[in-house]
Amino acid sequence: MTGPKKTELDQWKTAAEDSRNVLAFYEKRNDKFKAEIRALKARVRDLEAK
């Protein structure tokens, strides 16, 4: 026996936690990309102003 059998509820809880972790990872990446885009837009505005 490998240990207590996971109940369906435990499996759902694990899946929900995994989903939250994945979401947090992509939100962090998204914030990084948004900051990069803002910086690029600012640079373009500076160059256009010249």
Side-chain angles (χ1 to χ4, degrees), residues 15-49:
E17 183 61 31
D18 291 346
S19 296
R20 280 191 291 273
N21 291 339
V22 168
L23 183 62
F25 169 76
Y26 280 107
E27 284 176 340
K28 185 177 171 189
R29 268 185 58 184
N30 194 27
D31 290 343
K32 186 182 95 172
F33 287 130
K34 283 182 178 175
E36 203 171 307
I37 289 168
R38 274 195 301 274
L40 290 170
K41 284 181 176 177
R43 179 74 176 129
V44 168
R45 276 194 305 274
D46 290 346
L47 290 172
E48 286 176 342

Side-chain angles (χ1 to χ4, degrees), residues 4-14:
K5 184 175 181 289
K6 278 188 144 188
T7 65
E8 188 176 358
L9 178 60
D10 290 333
Q11 291 173 343
W12 278 108
K13 285 179 181 176
T14 300

